[in-house]
Amino acid sequence: MVVFDFDKTLTYQDTLAGFYKEVAVHGSKNRVPFLIKRMTLLCFAILYKLKFIDNTALKKIGVALYLKGLSNDEINKHAVNYSKKIKLNTIYEVEYLKTNPDDRIVITASFSDYVKPLFPGEKVFGSELKYVDKKVAGLSVNMYRAEKVNLLINQGIQEIDAVYTDSYSDQPLMDIATQCFLVRDNKIQKIK
């Protein structure tokens, strides 16, 4: 089993901010201007970098600013539209595509809503939104750090052959992998 992270592993850049922008610019019912939302999230991102808040808190704030109150249909529409704008990198072309589809999984902290359309019929797991009455009410699962391993264990997978990631935040995945590949600037370095 080979596990691939998504952002900056199979893409050239992080995609979450782009999804927030897609929603804000193309039809969000929350009429607070995009620039104000962006500056607010930036302030919280600084708090995250300074370790005053964790990744899950930062993602919950992003959901509250950009996605809360949107219907499932609206999220799906934005997700499909946005997924068409995501450019996959050469790691996708060289490493991902050479792996047997039955033996690969994409696990990402990004929302599965916009990642799944890129990999139809494949195993893709990501952060999930919480819905109440078919409207976004918050964050259900932040697929970050140990949550990725917890997902695999729930799927009956205790160890993996390889992991491709851009970040040491995936150390829990690295710990159960036989081989680890660090992706930086669209280049691969074997680290285990």
Side-chain angles (χ1 to χ4, degrees):
M1 187 60 61
V2 180
V3 173
F4 291 87
D5 178 43
F6 181 67
D7 285 319
K8 296 196 278 185
T9 300
L10 297 176
T11 67
Y12 289 102
Q13 61 191 16
D14 185 78
T15 60
L16 185 57
F19 183 60
Y20 290 152
K21 183 176 180 181
E22 174 78 19
V23 171
V25 172
H26 299 288
S28 173
K29 290 182 178 168
N30 185 343
R31 298 295 178 208
V32 176
F34 172 69
L35 187 56
I36 292 171
K37 291 178 188 181
R38 186 173 178 182
M39 295 307 292
T40 302
L41 191 59
L42 178 61
C43 290
F44 283 102
I46 291 168
L47 292 175
Y48 167 70
K49 288 288 185 186
L50 295 172
K51 301 188 187 311
F52 286 106
I53 63 173
D54 66 10
N55 185 277
T56 299
L58 180 61
K59 191 163 286 173
K60 285 179 179 179
I61 292 163
V63 169
L65 284 169
Y66 291 98
L67 309 177
K68 191 170 183 177
L70 294 177
S71 71
N72 187 289
D73 289 341
E74 289 172 302
I75 291 293
N76 288 336
K77 181 183 94 177
H78 291 304
V80 169
N81 288 339
Y82 181 59
S83 70
K84 294 174 185 174
K85 299 174 185 177
I86 296 172
K87 186 170 181 184
L88 299 173
N89 63 17
T90 56
I91 306 305
Y92 167 78
E93 296 167 4
V94 174
E95 299 297 325
Y96 183 84
L97 291 179
K98 82 174 185 183
T99 308
N100 182 329
D102 294 331
D103 296 332
R104 64 185 181 215
I105 300 176
V106 175
I107 305 178
T108 177
S110 290
F111 295 114
S112 62
D113 301 89
Y114 68 81
V115 179
K116 283 182 178 181
L118 292 165
F119 305 95
E122 297 203 31
K123 293 174 261 186
V124 176
F125 301 95
S127 294
E128 299 290 340
L129 296 168
K130 177 181 171 183
Y131 289 89
V132 174
D133 296 326
K134 297 184 181 179
K135 302 262 185 201
V136 176
L139 180 67
S140 176
V141 174
N142 185 21
M143 194 59 62
Y144 186 70
R145 290 192 180 262
E147 283 300 319
K148 293 181 178 184
V149 173
N150 292 340
L151 170 94
L152 291 173
I153 290 169
N154 288 336
Q155 301 284 319
I157 301 168
Q158 305 293 320
E159 56 186 48
I160 55 178
D161 297 311
V163 62
Y164 289 79
T165 182
D166 71 301
S167 173
Y168 283 99
S169 68
D170 280 329
Q171 187 65 49
L173 282 175
M174 294 177 189
D175 292 343
I176 66 166
T178 303
Q179 297 181 80
C180 300
F181 299 92
L182 192 62
V183 178
R184 294 279 165 91
D185 299 319
N186 204 30
K187 295 181 178 119
I188 300 172
Q189 176 188 0
K190 185 175 182 180
I191 58 172
K192 177 180 172 186

